[in-house]
Amino acid sequence: MRVLLVGSGGREHAMAAAIARSPRLEALFIAPGNPGTAALGTNCAVRADDVAGLIALAQQERIDLVVPGPEAPLVAGLADACKAAGIACAGPTQAAAALEGSKTFTKEVCDAAGIPTARWERFDAAAPALDYVRRHGAPVVVKADGLAAGKGVVVAQSVAEAEQAITDMMTDGTLGEAGQSVVIEDCLVGDEVSLFAFCAGETAVLIGAAQDHKRIGDNDTGPNTGGMGAVSPPTGFDRAAQEAALDVLVRPMLREMARRGTPFTGIIFAGLMLTNDGPQLIEYNVRFGDPEAEALLIRLESDLLTALAAVAKGDLAGTDIRFSARSSISVIMAAKGYPGRPVTGGVIRNLAAAEALPGVHVFQAGTKRDDAGELVAAGGRVLAVCATGDTLAQARNRAYEAVGLIDWPDGVYRHDIGQRALAAQEKTGKE
Ligand code: AMP
Ligand code: GLY
């Protein structure tokens, strides 16, 4: 198969590595890719959200399967454009991608399908939103309705904080268009996990689960980010529990989407809270998570490309998903300043030494080669340093040893990725 993978993050580097292991792969192209993916296929200078450019590239390279990594091309209609051009695509249509593109849409689908989720209200103006949070009290969650790269959500611990978030988004327009409408939700309490499944119409096949660490700082402090590290599998959420969550949180959504005439085909990512009343949906994303994909895919033993081709064909019967019993972890190294303005341009050295450690994989995200051919930081999240181990403790030690070997003075990372999962294991005496 000739494959075009779309995106340029650590997730796409990890997907490229998994696709490159497939005996069915003939040629791999990545648009736009990064210096990490360049070692696994051919990077092509087409932006991930340039739908017309991607279709032209796919035609020129006689691509059999387009694999979207991030949400932007899907929200922009990549899957629809592939269909019109007769090219298979392992991602949802623009109509189905609204599950990620609009929080209101997701909430409406949840209500129609009876999916447990936090109580919510939508506001198109600041005054009634302010009034609502004053009556509701804290904690309360304020979300920009549109896409805001993981930065449009404020879990407010006080009414003043909620008021500030509403003023920032709706009056001061800090998130542009995305914040012109907000959804205000009750605050869910519990452990948060990310659940992934391949979907085709009304069928869902479990991929697996991981636990992200969203805040920039140790002990879940500071602003939300795209994700600073993940462990897989999460403690206390085994495959039986994952299957049960699919039944409650994903399959009814698939039936509702099909009923609306906009069936969902692709990878679904259900972000959920394990509350005392069972799993509740926080959000859907229409793609793999980043850095969850990195942690998941280094445990995957079955063929990712075969599964993606089955998704694109709309036939998941017989799709085989197998993971090693090992644990895995990803630790993000971000550039100082992230999630605000990152310090770019710093030279990154010693990746090879880190990658030589047993079980370690380093995936690249915001990196580029400078004119001298040196690897330099070029974005917010720069590296995903990952490891597998017989236990989570072993995986964790390996990943942090690798982080310690990487010579990049501008790099910052959390020191406590996986600590919560380890503490939970100690409490229950289970891995
Ligand atoms: P979202 O963009 O909807 O995934 O929200 C970003 C993050 O905010 C989530 O990953 C959660 O950590 C947190 N969050 C969102 N909604 C809620 C909620 N209703 N209750 C508690 N935390 C939430
Ligand atoms: N790690 C969360 C996300 O990919 O949205």
Side-chain angles (χ1 to χ4, degrees):
M1 239 181 293
R2 299 173 64 81
V3 176
L4 173 59
L5 172 65
V6 179
S8 61
R11 165 184 50 213
E12 287 76 24
H13 188 181
M15 290 171 81
I19 290 170
R21 290 198 292 269
S22 173
R24 295 179 63 188
L25 183 70
E26 256 171 67
L28 176 61
F29 298 84
I30 310 98
N34 63 39
T37 64
L40 297 161
T42 307
N43 283 351
C44 305
V46 178
R47 284 206 336 257
D49 59 355
D50 175 4
V51 171
L54 292 169
I55 296 293
L57 173 64
Q59 284 169 332
Q60 182 194 318
E61 296 297 346
R62 292 172 290 109
I63 293 299
D64 302 302
L65 178 66
V66 172
V67 179
E71 65 280 11
L74 295 165
V75 173
L78 177 61
D80 310 76
C82 283
K83 187 161 184 222
I87 304 165
C89 176
T93 59
Q94 188 173 42
L99 283 173
E100 174 155 0
S102 163
K103 308 240 182 241
T104 313
F105 178 77
T106 298
K107 286 296 197 181
E108 284 166 2
V109 169
C110 284
D111 288 353
I115 291 168
T117 184
R119 208 160 49 97
W120 65 287
E121 298 232 9
R122 177 195 155 115
F123 298 92
D124 298 314
L130 289 168
D131 190 46
Y132 178 85
V133 295
R134 285 171 195 144
R135 278 185 287 117
H136 181 287
V140 68
V141 183
V142 180
K143 300 186 174 186
D145 186 44
L147 281 176
K151 292 165 198 159
V153 176
V154 175
V155 181
Q157 299 301 338
S158 67
V159 171
E161 204 185 331
E163 289 173 342
Q164 185 67 51
I166 292 166
T167 306
D168 287 349
M169 289 183 202
M170 305 192 81
T171 311
D172 299 342
T174 48
L175 298 172
E177 267 304 299
Q180 290 312 296
S181 299
V182 299
V183 168
I184 301 181
E185 294 186 7
D186 288 0
C187 190
L188 299 169
V189 179
D191 245 350
E192 189 175 346
V193 293
S194 307
L195 178 69
F196 299 91
F198 291 119
C199 304
E202 298 189 31
T203 314
V205 174
L206 177 64
I207 302 175
Q211 184 161 44
D212 192 5
H213 296 65
K214 304 229 171 202
R215 305 292 187 112
I216 186 73
D218 286 356
N219 302 314
D220 297 325
T221 52
N224 257 326
T225 69
M228 291 301 291
V231 297
S232 177
T235 306
F237 191 52
D238 61 15
R239 284 196 78 85
Q242 294 169 27
E243 274 291 352
L246 268 193
D247 268 340
V248 177
L249 303 178
V250 172
R251 293 190 173 109
M253 175 277 285
L254 293 178
R255 288 193 288 274
E256 173 64 17
M257 292 297 282
R259 193 191 65 75
R260 292 172 177 229
T262 52
F264 182 88
T265 290
I267 294 169
I268 197 75
F269 163 173
L272 52 99
M273 198 71 93
L274 301 173
T275 74
N276 286 336
D277 302 326
Q280 302 237 2
L281 188 88
I282 297 172
E283 59 163 354
Y284 295 116
N285 297 301
V286 299
R287 52 170 174 82
F288 264 132
D290 189 349
E292 290 97 326
E294 292 93 313
L296 267 172
L297 291 173
I298 57 173
R299 291 179 50 232
L300 185 69
E301 289 184 335
S302 52
D303 186 10
L304 179 64
L305 182 53
T306 298
L308 291 168
V311 168
K313 217 170 136 207
D315 180 8
L316 291 173
T319 295
D320 165 41
I321 314 285
R322 266 173 300 111
F323 284 95
S324 80
R326 281 176 295 178
S327 288
S328 61
I329 187 167
S330 57
V331 177
I332 294 292
M333 293 183 80
K336 224 180 274 172
Y338 176 77
R341 184 195 288 262
V343 177
T344 56
V347 178
I348 303 164
R349 294 195 178 89
N350 243 5
L351 282 196
E355 284 172 311
L357 293 174
V360 168
H361 307 255
V362 181
F363 297 115
Q364 299 186 31
T367 58
K368 69 171 191 189
R369 297 258 168 221
D370 69 7
D371 294 340
E374 298 258 37
L375 193 69
V376 298
R381 293 190 297 173
V382 172
L383 299 171
V385 182
C386 305
T388 55
D390 295 333
T391 60
L392 176 57
Q394 185 185 44
R396 186 169 187 277
N397 289 339
R398 286 172 163 178
Y400 277 107
E401 189 184 345
V403 166
L405 286 178
I406 294 171
D407 175 11
W408 173 39
D410 296 330
V412 292
Y413 57 91
R414 277 180 62 160
H415 302 78
D416 65 341
I417 304 299
Q419 215 155 29
R420 215 175 137 102
L422 272 179
Q425 282 180 5
E426 276 160 25
K427 214 163 119 198
T428 57
K430 274 200 298 201
E431 267 177 12

mmCIF file of all heavy atoms in Angstrom, residues 11 100 194 212 214 226-227 269 283 285 287-292 381, ligand 2:
data_model
loop_
_atom_site.group_PDB
_atom_site.id
_atom_site.type_symbol
_atom_site.label_atom_id
_atom_site.label_comp_id
_atom_site.label_asym_id
_atom_site.label_seq_id
_atom_site.Cartn_x
_atom_site.Cartn_y
_atom_site.Cartn_z
ATOM 1 N N ARG A 11 2.729 12.453 17.659
ATOM 2 C CA ARG A 11 1.729 11.431 17.307
ATOM 3 C C ARG A 11 1.992 10.887 15.906
ATOM 4 O O ARG A 11 2.001 9.672 15.695
ATOM 5 C CB ARG A 11 0.340 12.078 17.371
ATOM 6 C CG ARG A 11 -0.765 11.281 16.706
ATOM 7 C CD ARG A 11 -2.087 12.047 16.741
ATOM 8 N NE ARG A 11 -1.928 13.406 16.258
ATOM 9 C CZ ARG A 11 -2.621 14.460 16.696
ATOM 10 N NH1 ARG A 11 -3.550 14.310 17.596
ATOM 11 N NH2 ARG A 11 -2.412 15.651 16.210
ATOM 12 N N GLU A 100 -15.627 16.865 17.241
ATOM 13 C CA GLU A 100 -14.490 17.542 17.874
ATOM 14 C C GLU A 100 -14.552 19.045 17.670
ATOM 15 O O GLU A 100 -14.137 19.814 18.531
ATOM 16 C CB GLU A 100 -13.155 17.001 17.334
ATOM 17 C CG GLU A 100 -11.984 17.803 17.878
ATOM 18 C CD GLU A 100 -10.667 17.056 17.928
ATOM 19 O OE1 GLU A 100 -10.612 15.874 17.536
ATOM 20 O OE2 GLU A 100 -9.690 17.653 18.394
ATOM 21 N N SER A 194 -8.155 8.503 28.616
ATOM 22 C CA SER A 194 -8.427 8.644 27.186
ATOM 23 C C SER A 194 -8.642 7.250 26.616
ATOM 24 O O SER A 194 -7.786 6.381 26.767
ATOM 25 C CB SER A 194 -7.238 9.288 26.473
ATOM 26 O OG SER A 194 -6.866 10.503 27.096
ATOM 27 N N ASP A 212 -3.444 10.831 30.101
ATOM 28 C CA ASP A 212 -2.680 12.029 29.754
ATOM 29 C C ASP A 212 -2.402 12.843 31.021
ATOM 30 O O ASP A 212 -3.011 12.602 32.064
ATOM 31 C CB ASP A 212 -3.523 12.852 28.765
ATOM 32 C CG ASP A 212 -2.751 13.970 28.082
ATOM 33 O OD1 ASP A 212 -1.529 14.075 28.287
ATOM 34 O OD2 ASP A 212 -3.385 14.742 27.338
ATOM 35 N N LYS A 214 -2.410 16.815 31.584
ATOM 36 C CA LYS A 214 -2.715 17.977 30.735
ATOM 37 C C LYS A 214 -2.061 19.272 31.169
ATOM 38 O O LYS A 214 -1.835 20.141 30.344
ATOM 39 C CB LYS A 214 -4.221 18.213 30.728
ATOM 40 C CG LYS A 214 -4.982 16.993 30.287
ATOM 41 C CD LYS A 214 -5.989 17.307 29.238
ATOM 42 C CE LYS A 214 -6.544 16.021 28.686
ATOM 43 N NZ LYS A 214 -7.118 16.151 27.402
ATOM 44 N N GLY A 226 -1.567 20.850 25.362
ATOM 45 C CA GLY A 226 -2.015 19.743 24.510
ATOM 46 C C GLY A 226 -1.807 18.387 25.170
ATOM 47 O O GLY A 226 -2.380 17.386 24.748
ATOM 48 N N GLY A 227 -1.003 18.343 26.227
ATOM 49 C CA GLY A 227 -0.700 17.083 26.921
ATOM 50 C C GLY A 227 0.792 16.978 27.150
ATOM 51 O O GLY A 227 1.579 17.195 26.227
ATOM 52 N N PHE A 269 -11.656 9.163 19.947
ATOM 53 C CA PHE A 269 -10.915 9.362 21.194
ATOM 54 C C PHE A 269 -11.954 9.912 22.159
ATOM 55 O O PHE A 269 -12.442 11.022 21.977
ATOM 56 C CB PHE A 269 -9.792 10.348 20.884
ATOM 57 C CG PHE A 269 -9.103 11.055 22.013
ATOM 58 C CD1 PHE A 269 -7.986 11.832 21.724
ATOM 59 C CD2 PHE A 269 -9.499 10.989 23.344
ATOM 60 C CE1 PHE A 269 -7.302 12.530 22.710
ATOM 61 C CE2 PHE A 269 -8.826 11.677 24.344
ATOM 62 C CZ PHE A 269 -7.737 12.452 24.020
ATOM 63 N N GLU A 283 -15.322 14.696 26.478
ATOM 64 C CA GLU A 283 -15.285 15.178 25.089
ATOM 65 C C GLU A 283 -14.958 14.020 24.167
ATOM 66 O O GLU A 283 -14.425 12.998 24.586
ATOM 67 C CB GLU A 283 -14.195 16.234 24.926
ATOM 68 C CG GLU A 283 -12.829 15.672 25.291
ATOM 69 C CD GLU A 283 -11.640 16.477 24.803
ATOM 70 O OE1 GLU A 283 -11.845 17.443 24.061
ATOM 71 O OE2 GLU A 283 -10.516 16.113 25.150
ATOM 72 N N ASN A 285 -12.728 13.355 20.601
ATOM 73 C CA ASN A 285 -11.862 13.872 19.549
ATOM 74 C C ASN A 285 -11.929 12.851 18.426
ATOM 75 O O ASN A 285 -12.223 11.677 18.664
ATOM 76 C CB ASN A 285 -10.428 14.035 20.054
ATOM 77 C CG ASN A 285 -10.356 15.062 21.173
ATOM 78 O OD1 ASN A 285 -10.720 16.210 20.988
ATOM 79 N ND2 ASN A 285 -9.913 14.642 22.339
ATOM 80 N N ARG A 287 -9.633 11.541 16.396
ATOM 81 C CA ARG A 287 -8.251 11.216 16.020
ATOM 82 C C ARG A 287 -7.572 10.596 17.224
ATOM 83 O O ARG A 287 -8.138 10.562 18.308
ATOM 84 C CB ARG A 287 -7.561 12.531 15.677
ATOM 85 C CG ARG A 287 -7.787 13.503 16.860
ATOM 86 C CD ARG A 287 -7.020 14.753 16.830
ATOM 87 N NE ARG A 287 -7.416 15.646 17.910
ATOM 88 C CZ ARG A 287 -6.989 15.591 19.158
ATOM 89 N NH1 ARG A 287 -6.135 14.661 19.539
ATOM 90 N NH2 ARG A 287 -7.419 16.424 20.080
ATOM 91 N N PHE A 288 -6.339 10.143 17.032
ATOM 92 C CA PHE A 288 -5.538 9.718 18.166
ATOM 93 C C PHE A 288 -5.179 10.925 19.033
ATOM 94 O O PHE A 288 -5.106 12.047 18.539
ATOM 95 C CB PHE A 288 -4.205 9.129 17.679
ATOM 96 C CG PHE A 288 -4.196 7.632 17.543
ATOM 97 C CD1 PHE A 288 -3.713 7.035 16.390
ATOM 98 C CD2 PHE A 288 -4.634 6.817 18.579
ATOM 99 C CE1 PHE A 288 -3.686 5.656 16.263
ATOM 100 C CE2 PHE A 288 -4.602 5.436 18.459
ATOM 101 C CZ PHE A 288 -4.125 4.855 17.297
ATOM 102 N N GLY A 289 -4.901 10.687 20.308
ATOM 103 C CA GLY A 289 -4.400 11.743 21.177
ATOM 104 C C GLY A 289 -2.894 11.877 21.038
ATOM 105 O O GLY A 289 -2.208 10.965 20.573
ATOM 106 N N ASP A 290 -2.414 13.019 21.450
ATOM 107 C CA ASP A 290 -0.975 13.270 21.464
ATOM 108 C C ASP A 290 -0.683 13.894 22.824
ATOM 109 O O ASP A 290 -1.186 14.984 23.093
ATOM 110 C CB ASP A 290 -0.623 14.239 20.321
ATOM 111 C CG ASP A 290 0.874 14.386 20.120
ATOM 112 O OD1 ASP A 290 1.629 13.925 20.982
ATOM 113 O OD2 ASP A 290 1.267 14.972 19.105
ATOM 114 N N PRO A 291 -0.048 13.249 23.752
ATOM 115 C CA PRO A 291 0.939 12.165 23.650
ATOM 116 C C PRO A 291 0.427 10.752 23.957
ATOM 117 O O PRO A 291 1.230 9.861 24.201
ATOM 118 C CB PRO A 291 1.946 12.567 24.725
ATOM 119 C CG PRO A 291 1.080 13.135 25.822
ATOM 120 C CD PRO A 291 -0.064 13.810 25.131
ATOM 121 N N GLU A 292 -0.906 10.543 23.904
ATOM 122 C CA GLU A 292 -1.403 9.181 24.165
ATOM 123 C C GLU A 292 -0.960 8.195 23.079
ATOM 124 O O GLU A 292 -0.623 7.045 23.359
ATOM 125 C CB GLU A 292 -2.927 9.166 24.240
ATOM 126 C CG GLU A 292 -3.509 9.850 25.473
ATOM 127 C CD GLU A 292 -3.920 11.276 25.193
ATOM 128 O OE1 GLU A 292 -3.238 11.934 24.368
ATOM 129 O OE2 GLU A 292 -4.900 11.748 25.776
ATOM 130 N N ARG A 381 5.597 21.816 21.872
ATOM 131 C CA ARG A 381 5.982 20.469 22.298
ATOM 132 C C ARG A 381 7.001 19.969 21.285
ATOM 133 O O ARG A 381 6.734 19.937 20.081
ATOM 134 C CB ARG A 381 4.739 19.573 22.368
ATOM 135 C CG ARG A 381 3.800 20.048 23.489
ATOM 136 C CD ARG A 381 2.683 19.068 23.754
ATOM 137 N NE ARG A 381 1.802 18.893 22.614
ATOM 138 C CZ ARG A 381 0.831 17.985 22.559
ATOM 139 N NH1 ARG A 381 0.629 17.162 23.573
ATOM 140 N NH2 ARG A 381 0.054 17.896 21.495
HETATM 141 N N1 GLY B 2 -3.645 14.681 24.577
HETATM 142 C C1 GLY B 2 -4.916 15.199 24.313
HETATM 143 C C2 GLY B 2 -5.186 15.451 22.894
HETATM 144 O O1 GLY B 2 -4.537 14.941 22.013
HETATM 145 O O2 GLY B 2 -6.139 16.156 22.636
#
